[in-house]
Amino acid sequence: MEAVKKAFFVLLVNLVITALLFLFNAPAYTLKYYINSVFYVVFFYLFIALMMWVIRGRFFDGITYSFRRFYNKTSKQRDYLEEWKGKPLPSETVNHSWLRMFFFQGVFMLMIMFGLLFFYYAGVAN
């Protein structure tokens, strides 16, 4: 229950950030510009979440391992205290709870944005 409260508190903070972004950057105070402000926040969260998801999916592990191995073989200054095989791969550094938080915030804000878009186009069409 505490995690749900924390997630909705962060969502409330995101809505405040969106409102501040709207107040300071909008040329006119209309719903269209507020939807644009919500989009900026949604894009940030979903971009970070998708990058974390790709990294967690072990996409960059082979590339990172190859670069470390190549550097170890070609380096003239070898540091024997630093073992390149023991370093964590990128997929091992992504925290699952952070990934879930970014996805939750991005998807929930996206639903808010779609609701605002529906309200905007329903009002414009009439």
Side-chain angles (χ1 to χ4, degrees):
M1 189 66 182
E2 187 66 30
V4 173
K5 287 182 184 179
K6 185 177 178 183
F8 282 108
F9 177 74
V10 173
L11 183 67
L12 182 65
V13 169
N14 287 329
L15 291 174
V16 169
I17 290 171
T18 303
L20 291 174
L21 189 66
F22 169 70
L23 290 174
F24 292 124
N25 287 339
Y29 296 135
T30 62
L31 182 60
K32 175 182 165 183
Y33 292 111
Y34 185 73
I35 293 170
N36 289 342
S37 298
V38 173
F39 173 76
Y40 297 143
V41 175
V42 168
F43 179 76
F44 169 75
Y45 273 106
L46 289 181
F47 180 76
I48 298 296
L50 289 175
M51 284 301 298
M52 290 174 71
W53 187 54
V54 168
I55 290 170
R56 184 168 160 77
R58 306 182 73 86
F59 182 76
F60 296 110
D61 286 357
I63 297 168
T64 304
Y65 182 81
S66 299
F67 276 123
R68 286 179 186 167
R69 184 174 173 205
F70 178 77
Y71 179 75
N72 188 19
K73 296 290 183 188
T74 60
S75 176
K76 293 181 181 177
Q77 296 178 352
R78 298 209 177 191
D79 187 6
Y80 293 107
L81 297 177
E82 184 176 335
E83 182 64 33
W84 62 277
K85 290 182 182 179
K87 289 184 179 179
L89 294 171
S91 64
E92 297 168 353
T93 60
V94 174
N95 190 350
H96 185 67
S97 63
W98 280 96
L99 177 64
R100 285 180 44 206
M101 189 273 302
F102 275 103
F103 265 126
F104 174 79
Q105 297 298 323
V107 169
F108 208 90
M109 292 287 290
L110 186 68
M111 290 189 305
I112 291 171
M113 187 182 76
F114 284 150
L116 290 172
L117 281 169
F118 178 77
F119 182 70
Y120 176 75
Y121 283 112
V124 170
N126 292 331

